[in-house]
Amino acid sequence: QVQLVESGGGLVQAGGSLRLSCAASGRTFSSDFMGWFRQAPGKEREFVASISRNGFSTTYANSVKGRFTISRDNDKSTMHLQMNSLKPEDTAVYYCAADRFPTGSQYTYWGQGTRVTVSS
């Protein structure tokens, strides 16, 4: 069983930055692929970014490429999402997810989410 707790959300003006964190517990952190997803009001949840077990491989949605950076610290069992040049359309609840063998957006473990609001 894996427990995930997100933090770092909040209200920021367009063009600003936020850094989200995801703290994991329950099993060896480095055994899991990790991902960030988001769900905007009235929309379906969408993929944001993912990172391999050792952190060497990352993938981003086109909408955030060049603005967001995903990273992980396996020693501290934490994952981060640095979000720069934020836009109002980035407003959403952001979720971290973990799975040993994820398929697309199919992850087994999810956090409770942290809300990000970007004002124009």
Side-chain angles (χ1 to χ4, degrees), residues 4-54:
L4 302 171
V5 179
E6 302 95 335
S7 61
L11 173 64
V12 63
Q13 287 188 331
S17 298
L18 279 176
R19 188 187 192 216
L20 305 184
S21 297
C22 174
S25 61
R27 71 182 181 197
T28 303
F29 183 64
S30 59
S31 68
D32 285 311
F33 286 84
M34 300 294 295
W36 285 101
F37 293 78
R38 67 186 182 186
Q39 187 166 19
K43 295 186 177 181
E44 293 190 352
R45 187 172 60 196
E46 64 175 0
F47 168 78
V48 175
S50 64
I51 189 166
S52 61
R53 296 188 186 101
N54 58 14

Side-chain angles (χ1 to χ4, degrees), residues 51-67:
I51 189 166
S52 61
R53 296 188 186 101
N54 58 14
F56 290 168
S57 178
T58 58
T59 305
Y60 296 92
N62 287 335
S63 59
V64 306
K65 202 171 292 183
R67 300 187 298 122

Side-chain angles (χ1 to χ4, degrees), residues 37-95:
F37 293 78
R38 67 186 182 186
Q39 187 166 19
K43 295 186 177 181
E44 293 190 352
R45 187 172 60 196
E46 64 175 0
F47 168 78
V48 175
S50 64
I51 189 166
S52 61
R53 296 188 186 101
N54 58 14
F56 290 168
S57 178
T58 58
T59 305
Y60 296 92
N62 287 335
S63 59
V64 306
K65 202 171 292 183
R67 300 187 298 122
F68 290 11
T69 302
I70 188 172
S71 62
R72 67 189 294 164
D73 185 336
N74 286 347
D75 291 335
K76 296 182 179 179
S77 298
T78 57
M79 175 178 66
H80 301 286
L81 185 69
Q82 177 66 43
M83 306 187 296
N84 298 329
S85 302
L86 282 162
K87 304 175 181 180
E89 51 264 44
D90 295 317
T91 295
V93 177
Y94 284 71
Y95 300 89

